[in-house]
Amino acid sequence: MKRKIFLFATAMIIALAAGAQSPFFKKCENVKGVTTVYVSKAMLEMAGNIGGIGLKDKTLLTEKIDNTQIVTSDNAKGREFIDKHLSMITSDKEYEVLVQINDDKENVRIYRQNIGKGKSRYVVICKEPEETTVITIEGSLSLEDVARCTKR
């Protein structure tokens, strides 16, 4: 009986660790002026079963994405908090910069980190004069898939 309990507890810990939010996301939770959204694989699978979704989008939602984390703010204090803690992502040597776009009103960067077993973590950072948004997508996605996910 003890062995079964130990195996169950170990499986639960592994499952929780696999679906855990990033340290950056956790840092931003419960900060006034910052909105955080976590979408689990189960919710993405449910969304993929809604009628009217094309096969490519359904495959993307139900098979390729493990989870999505969104952190955003449209007020000065929230943007300042996010900017202050972005180094948790940008200074990590395991992330490579894939795309960097700078123009007068918008600054966009896309980072990728290999997280093993054919999966990657993509981080899209979009800074505009009135809003900062950080989107993290984990799964077995290509860069084309990430571009489809983050289109406005």
Side-chain angles (χ1 to χ4, degrees), residues 20-54:
Q21 292 116 0
S22 71
F24 171 75
F25 185 89
K26 287 194 162 292
K27 187 79 163 176
C28 294
E29 284 183 316
N30 303 316
V31 173
K32 190 172 183 167
V34 176
T35 301
T36 58
V37 179
Y38 177 82
V39 184
S40 69
K41 183 161 187 72
M43 183 55 102
L44 292 164
E45 288 171 352
M46 286 175 36
N49 291 325
I50 295 173
I53 295 178

Side-chain angles (χ1 to χ4, degrees), residues 57-120:
D57 291 329
K58 183 174 182 164
T59 300
L60 183 65
L61 289 173
T62 61
E63 296 176 16
K64 291 188 171 189
I65 301 175
D66 293 339
N67 69 68
T68 300
Q69 303 166 42
I70 303 167
V71 176
T72 189
S73 183
D74 61 0
N75 73 52
K77 286 191 178 191
R79 290 192 316 269
E80 184 180 309
F81 183 87
I82 291 171
D83 289 346
K84 180 179 176 183
H85 293 89
L86 275 176
S87 64
M88 295 175 79
I89 297 166
T90 59
S91 66
D92 189 333
K93 292 179 180 160
E94 292 182 14
Y95 282 96
E96 65 177 313
V97 178
L98 298 178
V99 177
Q100 181 173 328
I101 303 168
N102 296 307
D103 71 20
D104 289 341
K105 296 181 182 177
E106 190 173 51
N107 177 292
V108 177
R109 288 190 179 139
I110 301 177
Y111 296 85
R112 180 179 64 188
Q113 178 186 40
N114 182 350
I115 55 176
K117 296 184 182 179
K119 298 191 179 214
S120 295

